[in-house]
Amino acid sequence: MWTADDVARDSVQRQGGGLTAAAVLQRVEEAAGRERETKEQARSGGGFSELGPDPERVAEVWAAKHVEWRRVSDLMVQNG
């Protein structure tokens, strides 16, 4: 089974090709929002239909995606 970090890296690699810095920043913001939402839903016992069978796993994946999109954004800033 893939770790949350593995899922995040794969997702960002598939979605990130050719994106502008502005588009990457939008992805960072989206991931941050999803991370907050899914963590709150997991803590409050979010419904099965909302987050699937493992809400904590969904929250972990969004947290990892947030980190990965920030990493890509930082690299883009550093490399111009």
Side-chain angles (χ1 to χ4, degrees), residues 3-5 7-8 11-12 15 26-39 41 50-51 54-70:
T3 67
D5 291 336
V7 172
S11 175
V12 170
Q15 297 175 13
Q26 286 179 325
R27 298 294 175 110
V28 170
E29 291 172 8
E30 175 190 6
R34 296 285 180 112
E35 178 184 7
R36 280 190 306 275
E37 291 169 5
T38 56
K39 281 183 179 179
Q41 288 175 334
E50 293 175 31
L51 296 179
D54 190 351
E56 291 177 2
R57 170 77 174 166
V58 175
E60 288 173 9
V61 169
W62 274 110
K65 285 182 181 183
H66 183 201
V67 169
E68 191 65 13
W69 280 116
R70 278 194 326 228

Side-chain angles (χ1 to χ4, degrees), residues 6 9 20 22 25 33 38 52 54 57 62 70 72-73:
D6 294 335
R9 272 191 299 277
T20 64
L25 284 175
T38 56
D54 190 351
R57 170 77 174 166
W62 274 110
R70 278 194 326 228
V72 170
S73 178

